[in-house]
């Protein structure tokens, strides 16, 4: 187990942390089906399941087969594909749902029941915790008797009474449940709250701990990471985060977060070069664009623009990159056509174009590009044609000598942008 490199502030692992030993429960085919635009055909479900299996996720979670006849048929179809990933379905905590799930051929059943006062009053007809616990134990015993894995999760865990929560988790753990689940169903939790709850729970149960975070307040990735630090073992994700409302922890963004912390583990398990094709496929299916600021695959995720950034990147990419684009089968792009550009970047471009100039000449043409970029946005072709015509002038003996000092000064002025 090697310490993370390159970050002097990185914490030394404690014994609780599972940052370097976690599993993914991929829920694009369950949570993702709750996304506003989702309407998967059977073929699409098979394609998504197959791609995610090749990517290396540990589990695939599918929609409750009781939802509709097609949902049930599709679950049965995917169970028969012979994938390496275990197939789960997500059901209400009732014997009726559990029976249909087990009959479909799943490896495990994820049962969920509301424990917050809101849900007990408004969704469960006022059931008390004694009745909820009794029901949970019956369903767990039934699923185990069918030879399936079983996870028991509360819903809206962070707005449930802590004593109620710990009592029911302890009871189901003693009954032999494989995992207990914490679900931030409304997306209200902060990373510190997550750390505290998971750490407390870790001391109360002996089984695995699964976590499920909604992204209403933008904390879904941070909360998942915090949960792993506190001893959670399994994280729920979906491709691009699609799910109910604005969704859950995105698979790709979680990978981006885990790479600096557990690079060797991630590379040994997951086929990161598939992230882009998986995201592109799902984005097209649900008719969305990948956000510009998406980790790894946003169009500018590996684009460097400011002169001083670009200069350092050309010398050593890790100066301004915590993630390496090549790990994901992608390439970096050094932006060289803006007013923020610097002569080192232009020098690199000149050599890409197969041209030769002295440093003073490079500084001179950089000043021309900056002057033009102050007037209007430049395309790559625009900048290239400024470079080429400047080079042509030099070869025709018309290059202006003596201006390089002043122009070099101009270039330097433009490089302080960071
Ligand atoms: Zn959810």
């Amino acid at each position: 187990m090697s310490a993370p490199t390159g970050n002097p502030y990185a914490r030394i692992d404690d014994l609780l942390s599972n940052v370097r030993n976690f599993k993914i429960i991929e829920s694009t085919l369950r949570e993702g089906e709750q996304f506003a635009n989702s309407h998967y055909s059977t073929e699409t479900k098979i394609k998504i399941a197959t791609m995610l299996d090749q990517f290396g996720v540990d589990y695939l979670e599918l929609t409750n087969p009781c939802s509709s006849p097609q949902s049930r048929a599709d679950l049965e179809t995917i169970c028969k594909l012979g994938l390496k990933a275990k197939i789960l379905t997500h059901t209400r905590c009732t014997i009726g749902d559990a029976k249909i799930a087990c009959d479909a051929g799943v490896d495990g059943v994820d049962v969920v029941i509301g424990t917050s006062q809101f849900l007990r009053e408004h969704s469960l007809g006022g059931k008390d915790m004694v009745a909820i616990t009794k029901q949970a134990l019956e369903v767990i015993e039934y699923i185990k008797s069918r030879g399936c894995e079983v996870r028991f999760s509360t819903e809206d865990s962070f707005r449930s009474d802590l004593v109620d929560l710990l009592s029911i988790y302890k009871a189901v753990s003693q009954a032999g449940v494989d995992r207990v689940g914490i679900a931030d169903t409304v997306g209200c939790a902060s990373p510190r709250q997550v750390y505290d709850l998971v750490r407390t729970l870790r001391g109360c149960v002996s089984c695995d701990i699964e976590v499920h975070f909604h992204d209403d307040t933008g904390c879904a990735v941070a909360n998942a990471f915090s949960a792993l630090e506190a001893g959670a073992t399994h994280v729920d994700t979906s491709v691009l985060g699609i799910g109910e409302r604005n969704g859950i922890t995105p698979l790709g963004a979680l990978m981006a977060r885990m790479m600096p912390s557990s690079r060797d583990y991630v590379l040994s398990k997951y086929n990161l070069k598939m992230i882009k094709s998986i995201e592109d496929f799902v984005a097209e299916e649900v008719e969305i664009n990948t956000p510009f600021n998406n980790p790894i695959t946003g169009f500018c995720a590996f684009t460097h623009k400011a002169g001083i950034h670009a200069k350092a990147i050309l010398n050593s990419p890790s100066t301004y990159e915590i993630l390496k684009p090549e790990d994901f089968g992608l390439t970096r792009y050094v932006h060289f056509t803006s007013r923020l550009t610097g002569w080192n970047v232009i020098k690199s471009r000149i050599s890409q174009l197969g041209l030769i100039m002295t440093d003073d000449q490079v500084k001179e043409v950089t000043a021309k590009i900056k002057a033009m970029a102050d007037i209007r946005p430049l395309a790559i072709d625009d900048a290239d044609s400024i470079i080429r015509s400047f080079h042509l002038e030099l070869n025709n003996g018309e290059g202006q000598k003596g201006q390089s000092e002043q122009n070099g000064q101009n270039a330097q002025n433009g490089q302080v942008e960071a």
Side-chain angles (χ1 to χ4, degrees):
M1 199 162 70
S2 62
T5 54
N7 178 3
Y9 302 104
R11 286 177 54 162
I12 295 169
D13 264 358
D14 57 44
L15 292 172
L16 277 181
S17 175
N18 278 320
V19 162
R20 291 182 194 146
N21 180 29
F22 62 93
K23 292 193 169 74
I24 292 175
I25 295 180
E26 226 300 328
S27 193
T28 301
L29 296 175
R30 193 281 292 177
E31 179 74 50
E33 199 164 23
Q34 295 173 226
F35 177 56
N37 283 8
S38 294
H39 185 79
Y40 305 137
S41 66
T42 304
E43 290 67 34
T44 298
K45 288 185 189 178
I46 291 171
K47 175 82 176 167
I48 291 173
T50 307
M51 288 178 104
L52 288 169
D53 185 53
Q54 288 167 356
F55 175 80
V57 300
D58 305 86
Y59 292 85
L60 292 166
E61 186 183 66
L62 276 78
T63 293
N64 186 347
C66 303
S67 302
S68 73
Q70 193 60 53
S71 299
R72 186 171 178 170
D74 290 344
L75 177 61
E76 288 169 359
T77 301
I78 287 176
C79 286
K80 287 180 190 140
L81 291 178
L83 302 176
K84 288 192 295 295
K86 289 186 179 174
I87 308 299
L88 304 171
T89 188
H90 183 268
T91 72
R92 294 167 292 192
C93 189
T94 66
I95 298 279
D97 275 21
K99 180 174 186 314
I100 291 168
C102 293
D103 287 349
V106 294
D107 297 295
V109 186
D110 290 345
V111 298
V112 64
I113 197 162
T115 44
S116 70
Q117 205 174 351
F118 296 97
L119 284 164
R120 274 157 48 198
E121 276 175 23
H122 302 297
S123 181
L124 295 169
K127 267 195 176 161
D128 65 17
M129 287 306 294
V130 174
I132 288 174
T133 306
K134 181 167 176 288
Q135 184 181 338
L137 293 176
E138 284 169 7
V139 174
I140 289 163
E141 191 182 9
Y142 172 77
I143 296 169
K144 278 164 56 90
S145 78
R146 295 289 306 268
C148 292
E149 273 188 27
V150 54
R151 181 218 67 188
F152 171 82
S153 180
T154 62
E155 203 180 351
D156 202 2
S157 315
F158 288 86
R159 296 192 301 174
S160 300
D161 178 82
L162 183 61
V163 173
D164 286 350
L165 268 190
L166 296 178
S167 303
I168 198 165
Y169 284 134
K170 198 163 183 172
V172 298
S173 174
Q174 283 167 351
V177 82
D178 294 282
R179 293 186 303 284
V180 288
I182 290 178
D184 183 18
T185 311
V186 297
C188 65
S190 69
R192 186 168 173 166
Q193 284 176 310
V194 169
Y195 188 88
D196 286 348
L197 180 57
V198 174
R199 189 180 168 144
T200 304
L201 180 59
R202 186 66 285 170
C204 297
V205 299
S206 52
C207 60
D208 286 339
I209 298 175
E210 175 180 340
V211 287
H212 181 90
F213 295 109
H214 277 263
D215 206 26
D216 300 73
T217 61
C219 288
V221 173
N223 284 344
F225 189 78
S226 216
L228 291 174
E229 286 183 308
T233 52
H234 294 62
V235 176
D236 290 7
T237 66
S238 70
V239 177
L240 290 166
I242 60 170
E244 193 77 39
R245 305 186 306 285
N246 76 332
I248 63 167
T249 307
L251 175 66
L254 182 69
M255 291 293 101
R257 174 54 265 171
M258 301 319 296
M259 273 295 271
S261 311
S262 48
R263 178 182 170 82
D264 293 347
Y265 179 73
V266 171
L267 289 176
S268 73
K269 272 190 82 177
Y270 302 114
N271 185 358
L272 299 183
K273 293 187 169 68
M274 288 185 71
I275 288 178
K276 177 138 177 40
S277 56
I278 293 171
E279 288 186 354
D280 286 349
F281 180 79
V282 171
E284 194 173 330
E285 278 302 318
V286 300
E287 299 179 342
I288 55 172
N289 294 315
T290 299
F292 80 91
N293 57 351
N294 206 43
I296 302 169
T297 55
F299 85 94
C300 52
F302 296 107
T303 294
H304 303 274
K305 182 169 172 183
I308 54 170
H309 284 231
K311 176 186 174 187
I313 283 286
L314 290 171
N315 287 331
S316 170
S318 59
T319 316
Y320 282 107
E321 279 177 356
I322 195 64
L323 301 173
K324 297 184 195 333
E326 53 270 26
D327 285 337
F328 309 97
L330 302 170
T331 49
R332 74 180 55 81
Y333 172 64
V334 179
H335 198 299
F336 68 96
T337 64
S338 81
R339 61 171 63 145
L340 309 184
T341 199
W343 73 272
N344 288 282
V345 188
I346 300 299
K347 185 177 175 180
S348 158
R349 183 62 181 172
I350 289 167
S351 96
Q352 280 175 357
L353 295 173
L355 306 176
I356 294 168
M357 292 184 205
T358 66
D359 283 358
D360 281 346
Q361 289 164 345
V362 174
K363 287 173 184 173
E364 203 172 327
V365 75
T366 301
K368 286 177 186 292
I369 291 169
K370 281 170 165 291
M372 188 60 86
D374 258 346
I375 297 167
R376 65 177 178 87
L378 295 184
I380 292 175
D381 281 353
D382 296 329
D384 283 352
S385 74
I386 294 172
I387 292 169
R388 286 183 194 284
S389 61
F390 179 79
H391 186 256
L392 203 62
E393 283 174 26
L394 290 177
N395 283 354
N396 291 341
E398 292 167 21
Q400 296 292 308
K401 306 285 184 200
Q403 286 189 7
S404 53
E405 198 178 313
Q406 187 197 340
N407 289 335
Q409 188 65 41
N410 289 345
Q412 205 178 2
N413 289 344
Q415 283 189 44
V416 293
E417 202 70 41

